[in-house]
C-alpha cells in the first residue's frame, strides 16, 4: 500500500472531515447488514490519517492530541464502529514511541507511515478483573519468545497488519509483543455479537505458541514506573468517540424532526421544528453536546501541555481532565441517542430506519472503563489532592 503522508494538523483535520462525510453515507447500511468496513479502512490507511502521530524525526506530522481527539470525534459522528477500530492503533503507536528501542521505532514508524494498521489483543475473559492478564510470553533458548493465550474484545485485530499482544513474561511483568496478523499460531475469530458497534469485529484472538523475535517485544511495564500519559491518551480517544456519537445522534434527530416528524396537535405549530417544547428540548440536548465537546478540548489541551513538560503533577492534571471529559461524554452520548426517539416520535422506532444504531453504539461503547471510578478519582484529587494511580486506564 502507498499511503499519503500528512504534513500538519490543519491537513489532518481537513482529511478527517472529508472522510467522515464519505463514511457517513454508508454507516447505517453497514451496521444493519453487519458489513465489515474493509474498503473504508483501506481508505483510512491510504489517507495518511493513521500516521499523524508519528514523530517528526521519523517523517510524521506529530499532531497535537487536540487534533487527534477532533479526528476521532469527526469520524465517530459519521460511524462510531469505524471510528472505534483505529483507537488501539494509536494507543500502540504511542507504546512504541514511549518504550520502543531506537531500532523498533525506526521499523514500526515506517510501517505506520506506509499505511500498516495495528490491532490489539489485550483484554481477557473469565479472569479476576481487567488487569488480570494470563497470556504468557515465554523465553526460548535462542532469545526469541513463544506467546500463548486467548484474548477477547480484540477490536481491530481482524483488520490489522500487526497485532500488539499484552502478555506477562517469566518475570510476571507486562510486555507488548507485536505479531503479524498472519503469523503461524495466530487465529482471529470474528465472533463479536455485541448489540452495538456491530462492525468493529471485536472478537477473539487465539495464540498457540506463536514465535516472537526479541526485537518485536516492548517492555510495557516500564511505562508505569514514572509519570505517563498512556492511559490519558487512550481514554481521550474513547471520550472523543463518545462526543462524536452524541453529535451524530443529535444531527440525525435534527434532520428527522425537520423533514419527517409531525407537530403535536396542541402545539399550534405548523411544523414539528416550530413546536416550542421540541425547541426547548433540542436546546437542552445541544447544551450537553457543547459541554462534552468543550470538556474534550480542555482534556486534549491538558494532555498536550503534559507532553510538553511531563511531571507527576502535569500527568495527574491531564488524567483528571480526561476523566472529566470521559464521564461527561459517556453520559451525553447515551442521553442524546435515547432522546433522539423522544423528539422524533413514533416513526423513529421503525427498525427499517435503523436510528437505534446510535443508542446501541453509545450504550455499548460507554461500557468501556466505568465512569463511576473516574468520578471517584476526580473527587479524591479535588478534595484531598490525591493523584490518580498509574494503571493505564486514566
Amino acid at each position: 500500500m502507498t499511503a499519503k503522508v500528512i504534513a500538519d494538523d490543519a491537513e489532518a483535520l481537513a482529511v478527517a472531515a472529508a472522510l467522515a462525510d464519505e463514511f457517513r453515507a454508508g454507516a447505517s447500511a453497514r451496521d444493519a447488514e453487519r458489513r465489515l468496513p474493509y474498503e473504508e479502512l483501506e481508505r483510512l490507511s491510504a489517507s495518511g490519517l493513521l500516521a499523524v502521530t508519528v514523530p517528526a524525526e521519523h517523517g510524521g506530522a506529530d499532531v497535537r492530541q487536540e487534533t487527534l481527539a477532533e479526528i476521532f470525534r469527526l469520524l465517530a459522528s459519521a460511524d462510531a464502529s469505524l471510528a472505534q477500530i483505529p483507537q488501539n492503533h494509536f494507543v500502540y503507536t504511542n507504546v512504541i514511541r514511549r518504550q520502543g528501542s531506537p531500532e523498533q521505532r525506526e521499523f514500526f514508524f515506517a510501517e505506520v507511515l506506509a499505511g500498516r494498521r495495528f490491532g490489539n489483543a489485550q483484554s481477557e475473559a473469565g479472569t479476576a478483573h481487567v488487569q488480570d492478564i494470563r497470556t504468557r510470553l515465554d523465553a526460548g533458548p535462542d532469545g526469541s519468545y513463544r506467546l500463548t493465550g486467548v484474548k477477547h474484545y480484540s477490536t481491530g485485530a481482524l483488520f490489522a497488519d500487526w497485532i500488539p499482544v499484552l502478555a506477562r513474561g517469566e518475570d510476571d511483568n507486562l510486555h507488548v509483543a507485536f505479531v503479524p496478523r498472519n503469523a503461524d499460531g495466530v487465529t482471529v475469530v470474528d465472533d463479536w455479537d455485541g448489540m452495538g458497534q456491530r462492525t468493529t469485529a471485536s472478537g477473539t484472538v487465539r495464540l498457540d505458541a506463536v514465535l516472537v523475535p526479541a526485537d518485536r517485544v516492548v517492555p510495557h511495564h516500564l511505562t508505569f514506573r514514572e509519570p505517563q500519559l498512556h492511559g490519558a491518551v487512550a481514554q481521550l480517544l474513547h471520550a472523543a468517540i463518545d462526543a462524536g456519537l452524541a453529535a451524530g445522534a443529535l444531527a440525525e434527530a435534527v434532520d428527522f424532526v425537520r423533514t419527517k416528524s409531525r407537530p403535536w396537535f396542541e402545539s399550534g405549530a405548523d411544523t414539528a421544528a416550530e413546536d416550542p417544547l421540541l425547541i426547548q428540548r433540542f436546546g437542552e440536548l445541544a447544551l450537553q453536546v457543547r459541554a462534552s465537546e468543550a470538556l474534550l478540548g480542555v482534556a486534549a489541551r491538558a494532555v498536550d501541555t503534559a507532553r510538553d513538560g511531563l511531571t507527576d503533577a502535569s500527568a495527574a492534571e491531564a488524567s483528571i481532565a480526561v476523566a472529566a471529559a470521559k464521564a461527561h461524554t459517556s453520559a451525553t452520548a447515551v442521553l442524546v441517542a435515547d432522546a433522539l426517539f423522544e423528539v422524533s416520535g413514533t416513526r423513529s422506532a421503525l427498525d427499517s430506519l435503523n436510528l437505534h444504531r446510535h443508542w446501541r453504539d453509545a450504550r455499548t461503547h460507554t461500557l468501556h472503563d466505568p465512569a463511576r471510578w473516574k468520578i471517584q478519582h476526580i473527587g479524591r484529587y479535588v478534595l484531598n489532592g490525591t493523584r490518580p494511580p498509574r494503571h493505564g486506564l486514566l
Side-chain angles (χ1 to χ4, degrees), residues 109-350:
F109 288 151
E111 288 286 282
V112 173
L113 284 167
R116 309 284 194 275
R117 294 189 292 270
F118 293 151
N120 101 95
Q122 180 169 282
S123 296
E124 299 179 13
T127 56
H129 50 73
V130 71
Q131 295 274 8
D132 183 15
I133 302 298
R134 300 181 183 178
T135 298
R136 305 304 302 182
L137 188 66
D138 297 315
D142 62 351
S144 65
Y145 295 88
R146 292 286 178 176
L147 187 62
T148 302
V150 179
K151 298 291 189 175
H152 298 271
Y153 312 117
S154 302
T155 304
L158 190 68
F159 313 106
D161 298 287
W162 292 90
I163 303 177
V165 181
L166 193 62
R168 293 197 182 276
E170 293 174 345
D171 56 5
D172 213 37
N173 285 323
L174 283 175
H175 300 264
V176 176
F178 287 77
V179 301
R181 161 71 177 81
N182 59 357
D184 290 341
V186 175
T187 304
V188 181
V189 185
D190 179 21
D191 56 359
W192 170 242
D193 65 348
M195 68 174 181
Q197 295 198 296
R198 288 176 172 175
T199 61
T200 59
S202 302
T204 301
V205 172
R206 294 193 175 94
L207 305 149
D208 183 13
V210 178
L211 178 65
V212 184
D215 61 359
R216 297 293 180 260
V217 176
V218 176
H220 191 41
H221 60 99
L222 297 180
T223 300
F224 308 105
R225 293 185 180 177
E226 53 191 27
Q228 52 84 36
L229 296 170
H230 175 80
V233 169
Q235 292 294 308
L236 179 69
L237 301 185
H238 282 307
I241 292 168
D242 288 341
L245 270 162
L250 183 61
E252 190 94 67
V254 166
D255 179 69
F256 196 94
V257 170
R258 283 177 176 172
T259 62
K260 298 181 179 65
S261 294
R262 297 181 296 180
W264 184 243
F265 71 96
E266 294 177 284
S267 70
D270 292 329
T271 67
E274 297 170 301
D275 184 327
L277 296 183
L278 282 179
I279 289 171
Q280 175 72 20
R281 188 60 174 139
F282 271 97
E284 293 167 350
L285 297 173
L287 182 61
Q288 293 304 310
V289 171
R290 284 173 177 256
S292 279
E293 291 172 354
L295 283 169
L296 180 67
V298 168
R301 290 189 290 275
V303 175
D304 281 326
T305 297
R307 286 180 70 192
D308 292 340
L310 189 57
T311 64
D312 275 321
S314 66
E317 184 59 35
S319 289
I320 292 299
V322 171
K326 183 64 171 68
H328 198 281
T329 57
S330 291
T332 301
V334 175
L335 169 70
V336 178
D338 179 72
L340 186 160
F341 301 98
E342 170 198 337
V343 297
S344 299
T346 306
R347 186 182 174 192
S348 64
L350 294 177

Side-chain angles (χ1 to χ4, degrees), residues 72-73 76-77 79-88 91 153 155 192 194-198 200 202 233-246 296 325-334 337 356-371 374:
F72 271 80
R73 192 195 70 81
S77 72
D79 184 338
S81 285
L82 186 53
Q84 176 64 30
I85 292 168
Q87 190 265 350
N88 288 295
V91 169
Y153 312 117
T155 304
W192 170 242
M195 68 174 181
Q197 295 198 296
R198 288 176 172 175
T200 59
S202 302
V233 169
Q235 292 294 308
L236 179 69
L237 301 185
H238 282 307
I241 292 168
D242 288 341
L245 270 162
L296 180 67
K326 183 64 171 68
H328 198 281
T329 57
S330 291
T332 301
V334 175
H356 47 67
R357 73 184 185 279
H358 298 288
W359 185 87
R360 289 186 287 99
D361 283 345
R363 185 65 281 175
T364 301
H365 183 256
T366 56
L367 298 177
H368 262 289
D369 316 310
K374 298 184 186 305

